[in-house]
Structure formats: C-alpha cells, structure tokens
C-alpha cells in the first residue's frame, strides 16, 4: 500500500506539472495572437497569468511584457480609465519590483496627470536602479525643477545665512539642547548642523516626498543616515512615541521666508511647543 500511495502522489504531481506547462504554453500563444491583433488588454491578461504560473519565465518574456504593458496603458489613458492604468502598473511592479523601465513609465503617466511629487519618486527610483538610464535622469531633473523651489538654491548658497544658523544651533546644543527636531528639513542641512554640533538625537520631518528623498540622499552622502531620523510627515502629524521616542529640547526650521504664513509654520511651531518640546521647569 505505501508504494501504491507514493506512486499515486507522484503521478498526481506529474499530472499537475504537465497541466501547468500546457496552460502556460497556450497562454503564451494566445498572448502572441492578441499582440498581432493589437488586442493589448487581453495580451496583458495572458502575460499576467503566465508570469504568475511560471515565474521562471520572467527574464525571457520581460521585454514583450513591457511592450504589452505600455501599449495597454496608452489605451487605458486615452479612455480615461486611470485607476485601471495604475492597477496594471502596480501588478507589473509586483512582478518586476526593480525594473527601472517600468518605474520610469509609471512616473511619466503620473507626471502627465499632475501627480508631480509621486512621479518624482518613481523617476528617482529608476535612476537609483540604473544611474545610466538617460530617460529617467532627464525626467527626474525635469520634475525636480517643478518641485524644488528656487529659494532652496538661494538659501543653500547664502554662506552668511548658513553660518548664522550653524552658530545659533551650536550655541543651543552647547547650552544643553541635546535632542533636536528639524521642521521642513528640505535638504537636511540644519539637521546635519545639529548633529555636527553634538546633539545626541536628531529628528527631521519633510512633507514633500521629493525633498524627503533628496534629504535622505544628502544625509546618506554625508554618512549621517544612522544618526538622523528622517520622517516623511507633516510636523503636525508627529506623535510620541509612535514616530519619535521623546520630546525634544530644540526645534529648528528654515521655512522663515516670504511664505511664512503660507508654510503653516506658525501652527507647526505651536504644535511643537505644546506636544514635542520639553517644557521649561
């Protein structure tokens, strides 16, 4: 009986494998026929089935799958089926999470629809995956021009202003302010000033996804990514201990410009004082 049972299970497994191979083969043939007929939606569905049943084929069908995805996405875009378009890209990125071409294409659709911050995230990921990907680099720089306010460059090149901030932070840290929160960190320059001044704990928040990712890169390039905790959050949404483990003794911000009230900085500072700052005794 044991031998008969083993044979049954082997035959069963062999039958299932043969059925899987047959279904994969038929689906690939159907996908090809659909492409020839320019039925990109059905072809895309067939490729999804193939890749889920036979992930070992990911490399061999990758280029054809990309072509099918992009053609189907164009149709969905023209039909204003935006959610279906995004669903297709999400499915594709589940199958190819580190594909720079798919990331770049997703970013292009987002940018055309006005989602510039989200588009920048995909362009940035594509460039990180392949630093030599010219299209992704061009797209990232283009969207960055929309998202990075010109005054960032002016402030970063204002040596007198930066030196004043540096000295003020150094004085505060030396006087006992050892935990620091940087509101609207931008490139992360004030957070790095605080860490270099000797602060033991430095936290920074940034609402813009593009600026947050830029700050992550800048901080990492300065080898402080393990010493500064960056949060992609509005300061009003920071909770203790969910996001930071403690009240801080110093809040710094560089959003004091012509947009003082538009930045919501007053509300942010009030919130920091009431909920995030250590209260004086």
């Amino acid at each position: 009986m044991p031998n008969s049972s083993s044979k049954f299970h082997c035959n069963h497994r062999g039958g299932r494998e043969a059925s899987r191979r047959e279904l994969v083969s038929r689906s690939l043939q159907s996908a090809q026929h659909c492409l020839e007929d320019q039925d990109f939606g059905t072809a895309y569905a067939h490729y999804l089935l193939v890749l889920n049943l036979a992930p070992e084929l990911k490399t061999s069908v990758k280029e054809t799958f990309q072509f099918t995805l992009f053609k189907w996405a164009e149709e969905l875009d023209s039909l204003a089926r935006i959610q279906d378009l995004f669903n297709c890209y999400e499915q594709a990125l589940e199958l190819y999470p580190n594909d720079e071409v798919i990331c770049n294409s997703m970013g292009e659709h987002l940018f055309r629809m006005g989602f510039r911050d989200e588009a920048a995230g995909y362009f940035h990921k594509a460039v990180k995956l392949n630093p030599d990907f010219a299209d992704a680099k061009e797209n990232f720089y283009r969207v960055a021009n929309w998202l990075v306010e010109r005054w960032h460059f002016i402030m970063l090149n204002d040596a007198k202003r930066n030196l004043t901030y540096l000295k003020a932070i150094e004085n505060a840290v030396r006087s006992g302010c050892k935990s620091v929160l940087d509101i609207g960190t931008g490139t992360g320059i004030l957070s790095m000033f605080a860490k270099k001044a000797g602060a033991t704990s430095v936290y920074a928040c940034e609402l813009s996804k593009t600026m947050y990712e830029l700050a992550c890169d800048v901080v990492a390039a300065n080898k402080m990514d393990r010493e500064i905790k960056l949060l992609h959050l509005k300061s009003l949404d920071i909770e203790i201990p969910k996001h930071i483990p403690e009240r801080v003794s110093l809040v710094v911000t560089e959003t004091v410009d012509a947009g003082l009230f538009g930045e919501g900085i007053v509300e942010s500072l009030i919130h920091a004082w009431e909920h995030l700052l250590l209260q004086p005794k």
Side-chain angles (χ1 to χ4, degrees):
M1 284 295 290
N3 289 338
S4 298
S5 178
S6 296
K7 270 187 190 179
F8 172 78
H9 287 302
C10 286
N11 290 337
H12 184 60
R13 283 196 298 271
R16 281 192 304 180
E17 178 60 23
S19 297
R20 182 186 74 91
R21 286 198 300 266
E22 177 67 18
L23 182 55
V24 168
S25 177
R26 287 185 179 182
S27 293
L28 281 172
Q29 290 175 10
S30 297
Q32 192 58 46
H33 291 319
C34 289
L35 286 178
E36 291 169 3
D37 295 336
Q38 297 191 348
D39 182 0
F40 300 114
T42 308
Y44 176 76
H46 280 298
Y47 277 118
L48 279 184
L49 178 62
V50 167
L51 290 168
N52 279 290
L53 286 175
E56 68 272 13
L57 296 179
K58 281 184 179 180
T59 302
S60 61
V61 304
K62 180 178 176 179
E63 288 188 13
T64 313
F65 175 75
Q66 287 175 343
F67 171 81
T68 306
L69 168 66
F70 300 156
K71 286 294 186 181
W72 180 225
E74 286 176 12
E75 282 192 28
L76 292 172
D77 194 6
S78 68
L79 295 168
R81 292 172 56 183
I82 306 307
Q83 190 56 56
D84 289 335
L85 185 154
F86 288 150
N87 288 342
C88 286
Y89 273 97
E90 286 175 5
Q91 292 166 337
L93 287 169
E94 284 180 10
L95 292 165
Y96 296 97
N98 295 317
D99 189 288
E100 70 273 20
V101 178
I102 295 176
C103 286
N104 183 63
S105 180
M106 175 66 156
E108 288 175 339
H109 280 288
L110 287 164
F111 184 77
R112 282 196 295 270
M113 293 173 193
F115 301 107
R116 291 172 183 149
D117 215 26
E118 292 82 357
Y122 281 98
F123 293 145
H124 184 252
K125 182 179 179 181
V127 173
K128 291 193 84 171
L129 288 167
N130 182 1
D132 297 323
F133 189 7
D135 286 350
K137 285 199 289 188
E138 183 180 342
N139 283 332
F140 181 68
Y141 294 143
R142 180 162 55 108
V143 75
N145 283 331
W146 285 90
L147 293 172
V148 180
E149 298 289 348
R150 295 294 180 214
W151 51 263
H152 275 290
F153 301 107
I154 297 171
M155 289 196 302
L156 287 172
N157 287 285
D158 188 339
K160 184 177 180 182
R161 176 190 176 101
N162 293 335
L163 184 60
T164 301
Y165 268 104
L166 174 60
K167 287 182 177 178
I169 290 170
E170 285 177 342
N171 289 338
V173 172
R174 285 170 186 158
S175 69
C177 297
K178 296 297 184 180
S179 54
V180 180
L181 171 65
D182 179 6
I183 295 177
T185 192
T187 58
I189 187 170
L190 298 189
S191 297
M192 292 187 290
F193 283 172
K195 195 63 199 176
K196 285 183 177 179
T200 53
S201 303
V202 180
Y203 313 101
C205 63
E206 175 58 55
L207 184 59
S208 164
K209 186 176 180 182
T210 302
M211 293 307 299
Y212 164 76
E213 291 180 348
L214 177 61
C216 288
D217 285 346
V218 171
V219 169
N222 283 274
K223 296 181 172 53
M224 294 187 185
D225 46 319
R226 294 186 178 181
E227 301 173 309
I228 297 172
K229 183 174 182 179
L230 288 158
L231 302 165
H232 180 212
L233 281 174
K234 191 176 182 180
S235 63
L236 297 171
D237 296 330
I238 295 176
E239 298 177 18
I240 299 172
K242 182 178 179 181
H243 300 116
I244 61 176
E246 60 184 333
R247 286 175 177 262
V248 298
S249 51
L250 176 67
V251 169
V252 296
T253 185
E254 203 172 8
T255 50
V256 183
D257 71 329
L260 174 64
F261 296 101
E263 293 271 1
I265 193 63
V266 174
E267 292 85 350
S268 296
L269 291 174
I270 291 172
H271 172 75
W273 174 257
E274 293 178 344
H275 301 287
L276 305 175
L277 268 169
L278 287 168
Q279 300 298 314
K281 295 179 181 179

